[in-house]
């Protein structure tokens, strides 16, 4: 059985008349109050995004979605800027392409993007050469990273480009945090906070290049306010947050999304009845998600719907044995 | 919201320090002691009233910091309990600010300026002496907290840290460049003390680091080089009129402007400010009259006035001189701004490194309130306006107006995206006028003489007088006041510039370098713009040694990397890549040749300028770019 998917519709914000603007030479009409990104997408133009997600408040921090608006001193983030009548917008001008290229190179030279969907293609499309900033520095140990304070830093090492490489945090049975892959998109913090879960277990800590996602006092998740809803995992665009079965399968070279069957069903645990999409590989549930475009869950689940499928795994596979089984 | 608190207890001293800021707890739910009957376990406050207390977070954390010299897990827990702030968020705030420590620090920390203005005026020797006495700096002992895979709290016990020997830390510009080399001494304790000291010698730093009392603050006797010059407007009272006496201020003509403003009415005041042609002195040069008018017209209430006294742009110290030397003028001007824009509350966001300016301003606010010049009935005219002073906690970015709002609201100083602009959605989401200290100081002569008379000074496009911060290779550094249009050379000569002048940093780290042969530039916005330069915050730092110049460029790059809030990719990573490329060039190890490195720097700079969220990232490449293009630095790999 498949649940009816209700597209997310926001109540009309205003009775303002639609606005006309020019995007890449075409006159486009958009509802007042929508973002440039929405207007561009409605016009069939693809704009790359990284931090933006429909179900979250735009953080507009990655700056991948920038476009050029005539008359503006600097480029504007299309994911959060509202359309205005008479705007003349260029989504693919040399300025725009340069900024996007550099943003991609900055990220690719400092963060492990190997599990970010679509990234390899973007790096090619924008002609990126992240290696032009120099060879990547050796990963820092946990202690080294923790010792980075705010303010004066050690002078840079002239042979290497600094990165955020660091050890994987595996402090609970349900998901890992591999912050070497973190682009600081703020999505997990928003999902954990007011946008969805209201648990506030994680927040930004530190500043500048040393800014990081952290619990209070950097304690492990079991000592934090985390309720293991996994809603942060669901929104993470880079795979920095990853459920244990997927992480272990990837490590074993046995993660094969193209072979996975995805079945939507209703979570049996309680009367809320969240829609759950079960990702099954080799007859083992390897991941559970909920559709972002679902009017009720908006992609969210609780610990049970997200991680509690051991009882239906073949031969009562547990979360930790399931991957090994699927890898066989 | 039910929050989970860290498993640690505050010391009694920490409770007292926090309670002194937040008031006593009202129930056990909010941190009240278990054995006190009045602390009912069952009374919990939540919702809007509680959320509004988030603005007290930074002051509460500062209270912990100045009690034991760091924010212990128990102290953090207590603040979270009191304000119902999730600990992860409070931790995020505590780890954002350079003057808040989350690992034990000695009771005394000497912050030694290691920035462009002090480096070539002896800071190297001070740092060497500090290292000889106290060893390596404390900066990297900041976070001993283990990451999540080894959960635990930072080692050390709160009270115990007080017994440690003094330590030191390198600091960005302390706003005392005219008295370089400078230090800031912070002594934590029941009665915390802070002092800024200038002209620091080896002996002074040794004494400080072996526990000697710091002596009088460098500002105790605030003077300006032009003292006594009858043409001074903004600096007229500095060093002449007792800054601690309201009576002296009134005798010197103080509060006549407010009286006149109240007579004129709000609209007329704004008309005069608009007619004066006054533009912001904080760097962005926005017309002040238009800003005030926009706030006045907003329907949403309340409106706020914010005086931006964060002054952390390296090389800038004019606001410090104004506040320490003429604090009542700031209070009076803010009151006029409040009256004109329909605001009843004003905040001064004062950088933490200015203890004496804080003391003077606090005294002025208290005295004005006692005299009925602030409060519910200003001057008996039925106007309501009051001022609250907030201190920064060590973050240049908090000078950016929206980051400043976030900081006052108890959050990390991360700039907001604009639009909406502060005049519509500002502090606490309400219409807000933000003005620099010097901008506000100009309001007094405008109201007294009228906008037209004010506009007669300077040039048609850059009206009035401006303050300039002269430092570096000049014999008489200090704050100078000059009519807009005065030539840079004239000012440099007045300050006794070195005959070997090689370049001038104009406008601060976010400004740019110009060559010695370009100093006939008239100091106006239009001339600066035409010359592809900026007046910024009025910094004029002279250099006469090419080695100093290269080092200054490297330091500026490091400064932006240190001070980036880290929110957006172009600035967070771009400032790192820019610094790395410069270091490769400076050490003669360019990647793929000098030309390739310069092209790389240009690529990085354009992306930061075009795609960053705020002015920090947008101007992080400006000085570097000018050093390469105008001065030809790094074109050959020397050394
Ligand atoms: C990174 C950054 C730092 C800033 N620091 C200050 C500052 O310390 N003081 C200040 O008045 N303005 C500062 N500004 C400018 C403010 O954002 C704002 O434009 C100014 O306070 C407005 O006042 P004005 O119109 O009177 O100049 C800074 C801007 C940026 C981008
Ligand atoms: S699992 Fe849920 S509660 Fe835990 S950090 Fe992620 S979003 Fe927050
Ligand atoms: S962990 Fe993932 S979701 Fe969170 S900030 Fe990093 S990349 Fe974004
Ligand atoms: S430009 Fe820099 S300081 Fe400004 S928001 Fe971006 S990261 Fe923060
Ligand atoms: S997608 Fe718009 S800034 Fe990240
Ligand atoms: S006080 Fe040292 S550079 Fe300004």
């Amino acid at each position: 059985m498949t649940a009816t998917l209700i597209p997310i519709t926001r109540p009309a914000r205003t009775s303002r008349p639609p606005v006309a603007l020019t995007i890449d030479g075409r006159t486009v009409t958009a509802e007042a109050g929508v973002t440039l990104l929405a207007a561009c997408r409605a016009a069939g133009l693809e704009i790359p995004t990284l931090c933006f997600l429909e179900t979250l408040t735009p953080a507009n921090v990655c700056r991948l979605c920038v476009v050029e608006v005539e008359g503006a001193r600097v480029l504007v983030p299309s994911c959060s800027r509202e359309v205005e009548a008479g705007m003349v917008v260029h989504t693919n001008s040399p300025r725009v392409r340069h900024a996007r290229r550099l943003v991609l190179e900055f990220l690719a030279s400092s963060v492990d993007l190997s599990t970010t969907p679509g990234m390899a293609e973007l790096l090619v499309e924008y002609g990126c050469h992240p290696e032009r900033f120099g060879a990547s520095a050796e990963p820092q140990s946990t202690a080294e990273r923790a010792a980075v304070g705010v303010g004066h830093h050690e002078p840079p090492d002239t042979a290497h480009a600094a990165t955020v490489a660091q050890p994987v945090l595996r402090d609970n049975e349900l998901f890992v945090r591999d912050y070497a892959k973190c682009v600081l998109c703020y999505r997990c913090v928003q999902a954990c906070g007011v946008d969805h879960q209201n648990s506030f277990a994680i927040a930004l800590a530190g500043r500048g290049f040393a800014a990081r996602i952290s619990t209070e006092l950097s304690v492990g998740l079991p000592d934090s306010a985390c309720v293991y809803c996994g809603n942060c995992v669901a929104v993470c665009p880079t795979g920095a947050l990853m459920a244990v079965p997927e992480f272990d399968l990837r490590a074993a070279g046995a993660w094969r999304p193209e072979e996975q069957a995805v079945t939507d069903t209703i979570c049996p645990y309680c009367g809320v009845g969240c829609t759950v999409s079960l990702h099954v590989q080799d007859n083992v549930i390897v991941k559970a998600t909920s559709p972002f475009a679902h009017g009720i869950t908006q992609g969210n689940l609780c610990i049970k719907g997200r991680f509690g499928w051991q009882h239906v795994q073949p031969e009562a596979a547990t979360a930790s044995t399931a991957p090994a089984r699927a890898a066989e | 919201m039910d929050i989970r608190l860290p498993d640690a207890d505050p010391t009694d001293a920490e409770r007292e320090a926090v309670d002194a800021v937040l008031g006593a707890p009202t129930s056990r739910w909010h941190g009240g002691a278990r054995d006190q009957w009045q602390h009912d376990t069952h009374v919990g406050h939540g919702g809007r009233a509680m959320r509004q207390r988030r603005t007290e977070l930074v002051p509460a954390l500062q209270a912990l910091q100045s009690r034991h010299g760091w924010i212990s897990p128990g102290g953090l827990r207590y603040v979270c309990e009191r304000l119902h702030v999730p600990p992860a968020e409070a931790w995020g705030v505590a780890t954002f600010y350079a003057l808040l420590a989350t690992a034990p620090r000695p009771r005394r920390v000497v912050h030694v300026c290691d920035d462009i203005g002090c480096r070539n005026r002896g800071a190297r020797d001070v740092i060497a002496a500090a290292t000889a006495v106290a060893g390596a700096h404390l900066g990297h002992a900041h976070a001993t907290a283990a990451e999540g895979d080894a959960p635990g709290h930072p080692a050390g016990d709160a009270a115990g840290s007080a017994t440690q020997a003094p330590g030191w830390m390198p600091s960005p510009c302390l706003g005392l460049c005219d008295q370089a080399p400078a230090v800031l001494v912070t002594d934590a304790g029941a009665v915390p003390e802070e002092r800024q000291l200038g002209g620091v010698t080896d002996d002074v730093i040794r004494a400080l680091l072996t526990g000697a009392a710091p002596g009088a603050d460098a500002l105790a006797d605030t003077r300006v080089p032009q003292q006594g010059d009858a043409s001074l407007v903004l600096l007229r009272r500095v060093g002449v009129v007792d800054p601690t006496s309201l009576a002296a201020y009134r005798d010197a003509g103080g509060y006549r402007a407010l009286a006149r403003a109240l007579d004129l009415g709000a609209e007329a005041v704004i008309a005069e400010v608009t007619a004066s042609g006054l533009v912001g002195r904080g760097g962005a040069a926005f017309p002040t009259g238009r800003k005030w008018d926009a706030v006045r017209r907003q329907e949403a209430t309340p409106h706020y006035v914010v005086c931006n006294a964060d002054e952390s742009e390296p090389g800038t110290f004019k606001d410090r001189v104004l506040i320490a030397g003429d604090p009542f003028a700031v209070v009076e001007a803010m009151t006029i701004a409040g009256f004109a824009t329909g605001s009843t509350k004003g905040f001064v966001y004062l950088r933490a490194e200015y203890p004496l300016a804080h003391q003077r301003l606090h005294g002025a606010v208290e005295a004005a309130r006692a005299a009925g010049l602030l409060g519910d009935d200003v001057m008996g005219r039925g106007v309501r306006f009051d001022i609250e002073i907030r201190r920064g906690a060590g973050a240049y970015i908090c000078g950016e107006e929206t980051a400043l709002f976030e900081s006052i609201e108890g959050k990390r100083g991360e700039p907001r995206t604009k639009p909406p602009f502060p005049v519509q959605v500002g502090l606490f989401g309400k219409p807000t006028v933000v003005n620099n200290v010097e901008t506000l100081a100009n309001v007094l002569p405008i109201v007294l003489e009228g906008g037209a008379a004010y506009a007669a000074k300077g040039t048609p496009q850059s009206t009035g007088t401006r303050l300039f911060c002269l430092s570096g290779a000049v014999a008489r550094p200090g704050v100078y006041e000059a009519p807009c249009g005065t030539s840079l050379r004239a000012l440099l000569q007045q300050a006794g510039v070195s005959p070997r002048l090689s370049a001038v940093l104009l406008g601060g780290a976010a400004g740019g370098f110009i060559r010695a042969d370009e100093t006939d530039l008239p100091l106006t916005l239009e001339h600066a713009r035409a010359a592809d330069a900026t007046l910024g915050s009025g910094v004029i730092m002279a250099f006469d040694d090419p080695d100093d110049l290269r080092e200054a460029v490297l330091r500026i790059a490091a400064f932006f990397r240190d001070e980036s809030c880290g929110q957006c990719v172009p600035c967070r990573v771009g400032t790192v890549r820019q610094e790395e490329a410069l270091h490769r060039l400076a050490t003669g190890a360019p990647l793929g040749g000098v030309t390739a490195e310069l092209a790389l720097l240009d690529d990085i700079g354009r992306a930061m300028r075009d795609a960053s969220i705020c002015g920090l990232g947008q101007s992080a490449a400006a000085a570097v770019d000018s050093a390469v293009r105008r001065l030809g630095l790094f074109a050959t790999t020397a050394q």
Side-chain angles (χ1 to χ4, degrees):
Chain A
M1 195 197 96
T2 312
T4 316
L5 297 189
I6 307 161
I8 301 170
T9 47
R10 296 227 173 88
R13 298 178 214 220
T14 56
S15 51
R16 285 184 279 167
V19 296
L21 65 161
T22 310
I23 302 179
D24 292 347
R26 285 157 56 192
T27 303
V28 168
T29 308
E31 204 186 305
V34 304
T35 62
L36 279 172
L37 180 66
C40 289
R41 287 191 171 161
L45 292 162
E46 210 28 69
I47 311 263
T49 59
L50 183 60
C51 64
F52 177 76
L53 187 68
E54 280 82 352
T55 56
L56 299 169
T57 312
N60 57 74
V61 291
C62 76
R63 318 304 277 181
L64 194 54
C65 69
V66 288
V67 296
E68 188 170 349
V69 174
E70 285 187 14
R73 192 172 44 87
V74 292
L75 302 176
V76 308
S78 60
C79 66
S80 61
R81 175 62 65 84
E82 287 186 9
V83 292
E84 286 165 37
M87 267 182 169
V88 182
V89 183
H90 304 280
T91 68
N92 211 18
S93 67
R95 255 176 96 189
V96 167
R97 290 191 65 87
H98 178 80
R100 287 190 195 149
R101 173 188 172 195
L102 267 287
V103 163
L104 289 166
E105 289 181 330
F106 286 156
L107 287 174
S109 64
S110 58
V111 184
D112 172 0
L113 299 173
S114 60
T115 52
T116 308
M119 190 48 79
E121 294 78 9
L122 274 177
L123 289 170
V124 172
E125 186 187 336
Y126 284 90
C128 300
H129 294 283
E131 67 285 358
R132 66 196 182 118
F133 299 122
S136 293
E138 287 295 304
Q140 282 182 303
S141 72
T142 305
E144 280 167 335
R145 275 196 69 78
V148 177
V150 169
H152 271 59
H153 60 269
E154 293 297 318
D157 148 16
T158 53
H160 295 104
T163 73
V164 298
Q166 57 191 289
V168 177
L169 295 179
R170 192 163 180 166
D171 56 18
N172 67 84
E173 290 173 20
L174 301 179
F175 65 93
V176 301
R177 296 180 292 152
D178 182 0
Y179 289 128
K181 292 180 173 172
C182 175
V183 293
L184 285 185
C185 68
Y186 286 58
R187 282 189 188 182
C188 55
V189 174
Q190 291 178 317
C192 191
V194 281
D195 277 355
H196 293 327
Q197 191 62 27
N198 283 287
S199 283
F200 303 96
I202 45 176
L204 265 289
R207 185 166 92 189
F209 196 66
R212 59 200 178 270
I213 306 294
S214 177
T215 57
E216 68 273 17
L217 307 159
S218 306
V219 298
L221 282 184
D223 291 317
S224 78
C226 176
V227 298
Y228 301 100
C229 58
N231 292 331
C232 53
V233 178
V235 297
C236 179
T238 63
L241 306 178
M242 198 180 273
V244 161
E246 178 175 347
F247 185 82
D248 286 346
L249 283 170
R250 282 180 184 272
W255 178 255
R256 294 185 298 275
E258 60 295 339
E259 293 174 15
Q260 292 167 9
V262 181
T263 310
D264 283 0
T265 180
I266 300 292
C267 175
Y269 279 108
C270 82
V272 175
C274 296
T275 293
V276 184
S277 306
L278 297 176
H279 304 241
V280 177
Q281 177 178 320
D282 297 333
N283 207 29
V284 174
I285 298 170
V286 291
K287 177 154 102 176
T289 59
S290 182
F292 289 122
H294 192 284
I296 293 168
T297 70
Q298 297 199 11
N300 296 308
L301 292 169
C302 75
I303 181 172
K304 292 170 285 182
R306 177 99 47 208
F307 298 112
W309 297 97
Q310 291 81 351
H311 62 292
V312 288
Q313 302 285 43
E315 297 167 41
T318 63
S320 49
T321 58
R325 208 166 293 279
E328 279 162 14
Chain B
M1 176 177 56
D2 193 12
I3 55 171
R4 179 179 167 138
L5 297 163
D7 187 13
D9 289 318
T11 64
D12 288 343
E14 284 172 326
R15 276 179 190 275
E16 273 166 34
V18 171
D19 289 353
V21 176
L22 303 182
T26 49
S27 85
R28 273 174 57 184
W29 183 266
H30 293 287
R34 273 162 218 284
D35 53 0
Q36 285 174 26
W37 62 269
Q38 70 269 40
H39 291 156
D40 193 323
T41 329
H42 306 289
V43 181
H45 302 279
R48 192 185 170 82
M50 203 62 219
R51 281 199 301 275
Q52 282 176 342
R53 295 201 69 179
R54 174 76 185 249
T55 175
E56 296 169 73
L57 179 61
V58 175
L61 294 175
Q62 285 169 325
L64 289 172
Q65 174 68 34
S66 50
R67 186 64 190 86
H68 286 322
W70 70 296
I71 296 165
S72 73
L76 188 80
R77 176 203 162 102
Y78 187 59
V79 168
C80 292
E81 207 171 3
R82 291 298 317 275
L83 295 176
H84 239 215
V85 172
E89 289 200 1
W91 176 253
V93 172
T95 55
F96 186 85
Y97 296 96
L99 292 177
L100 300 179
T102 48
R105 273 191 199 162
R107 197 178 77 83
R108 167 170 294 175
V109 176
V110 182
H111 301 263
V112 182
C113 179
D114 179 32
D115 217 322
I116 44 175
C118 288
R119 273 195 182 184
N120 50 21
R121 315 294 286 180
R124 291 276 139 156
D125 300 337
V126 176
I127 285 176
T131 312
V133 182
H137 70 77
L138 303 166
H140 291 266
H142 178 84
T144 53
E147 288 285 334
D149 53 350
H153 302 310
D157 89 282
S161 65
T163 59
Q164 291 174 38
W168 72 280
M169 297 185 68
S171 167
C173 175
L174 289 166
L176 215 65
C177 327
D178 54 339
Q179 301 178 44
V183 300
L184 169 76
V185 187
T186 56
D187 285 333
V191 185
E193 283 199 60
E194 291 157 31
R195 289 265 203 295
Q196 269 196 323
L197 303 177
V200 175
T201 59
D202 283 12
D203 290 343
V204 170
I205 191 79
R206 274 173 219 283
L208 288 172
L209 287 170
T210 44
D217 194 283
L219 309 186
D221 179 24
T222 311
R223 305 185 143 268
V224 289
Q226 292 159 299
Q227 201 141 306
D229 183 334
S231 68
L232 292 180
V233 181
L234 304 171
L235 297 178
R236 192 159 57 94
R237 284 179 292 259
V238 175
V240 178
V241 176
D242 180 358
T244 61
S245 161
L246 175 57
Y249 178 68
R250 296 191 93 150
D251 286 347
Y255 277 103
R256 282 200 299 127
L258 177 59
R260 182 164 155 74
L262 295 174
D263 289 342
L264 284 171
E267 310 250 316
V269 169
I270 291 179
E272 293 296 346
V273 174
T274 306
S276 74
L278 176 64
V279 299
R281 305 294 199 230
F286 191 84
T288 308
R290 260 174 52 203
K291 209 186 252 186
W292 288 22
D293 190 48
V295 172
R296 177 166 182 77
R297 287 169 191 280
Q298 294 293 319
E299 282 174 17
T301 54
H303 298 177
Y304 291 103
V305 173
V306 173
C307 170
N308 190 341
D310 195 48
E311 189 160 79
S312 310
E313 181 71 46
T316 317
F317 44 90
K318 64 192 177 66
D319 298 342
R320 182 206 81 213
V321 167
L322 278 178
I323 295 179
D326 198 8
F328 287 100
V330 179
V331 175
E332 182 182 0
M334 279 182 76
T335 312
I336 295 174
F339 169 64
T341 57
S343 314
T344 53
K345 177 90 191 250
F347 285 89
V348 182
Y349 192 90
L350 179 65
R351 84 174 290 199
E353 292 84 345
Y354 289 169
L356 193 86
H358 176 246
Q359 197 182 314
R360 296 257 170 92
L361 188 64
H362 179 76
V365 168
E366 298 280 306
R369 198 180 290 132
L373 298 166
L374 285 176
D376 289 340
D377 188 17
V378 173
M379 284 192 149
R381 303 284 292 267
V383 171
R384 197 149 68 90
F385 188 73
D386 214 332
I387 293 175
E388 184 175 337
I389 303 169
R390 288 300 181 93
R391 299 188 72 185
Y396 166 64
I397 189 57
C398 289
E400 197 280 340
E401 52 198 12
T402 59
L404 189 161
F405 301 153
E406 294 283 308
S407 183
I408 293 182
E409 291 178 15
K411 301 178 195 146
R412 297 161 56 79
E414 293 176 355
R416 303 174 185 167
T417 188
K418 292 187 264 191
F421 293 96
V423 293
Q424 302 157 309
V425 182
L427 184 61
F428 303 118
K430 299 297 180 183
T432 304
V433 54
V434 191
N435 275 131
N436 172 256
V437 177
E438 181 190 345
T439 313
L440 287 165
N442 276 288
V443 167
L444 303 180
I446 290 169
V447 170
L448 282 174
E449 315 163 7
Y454 178 93
K457 261 174 283 172
T459 66
Q461 287 175 66
S462 298
T463 58
T465 59
R466 268 192 86 122
L467 299 182
F468 295 97
C469 313
L470 278 101
S471 65
V474 293
R476 291 175 294 279
V479 177
Y480 287 76
E481 178 171 357
C484 292
T486 306
S487 87
L488 174 57
R489 181 169 303 138
L491 260 183
L492 283 166
Q493 279 166 357
Q494 202 177 350
V497 70
S498 158
R500 288 173 293 115
L501 181 75
S502 56
V504 175
L505 178 65
L506 197 60
F513 291 95
I514 64 170
R515 290 189 308 273
D517 62 10
E518 295 176 297
T519 54
D520 50 4
L521 179 77
L523 295 168
T524 67
L525 297 168
E526 59 277 16
H527 288 95
R529 202 174 298 128
D532 195 18
T534 166
L535 301 185
S537 51
V539 172
I540 298 178
M541 193 179 283
F543 290 85
D544 63 356
D545 179 331
D547 288 342
D548 287 350
L549 211 46
R550 289 168 77 92
E551 201 177 288
V553 179
L554 294 180
R555 170 57 202 156
I556 289 173
F559 173 80
F560 282 113
R561 174 176 173 176
D562 286 338
E563 299 297 332
S564 163
C565 81
Q567 192 181 191
C568 65
V569 175
C571 170
R572 179 179 74 236
V573 188
T575 53
V576 174
R577 296 292 177 250
Q578 169 172 273
E579 194 201 13
E580 288 170 346
L582 281 170
H583 270 263
R584 290 194 298 262
L585 282 166
T587 53
L591 197 61
V594 174
T595 317
E597 288 283 27
L598 293 180
L600 189 66
L601 275 174
D602 185 60
D603 274 1
I604 296 168
R606 276 193 289 144
M608 288 200 286
R609 185 160 56 244
D610 252 3
S612 295
I613 294 180
C614 84
L616 189 150
Q618 288 162 10
S619 57
V624 172
D625 192 56
S626 69
V628 170
R629 280 172 208 272
R630 278 191 131 101
L631 309 182
L633 284 189
F634 306 106
T636 54
T637 48
Q639 298 110 45

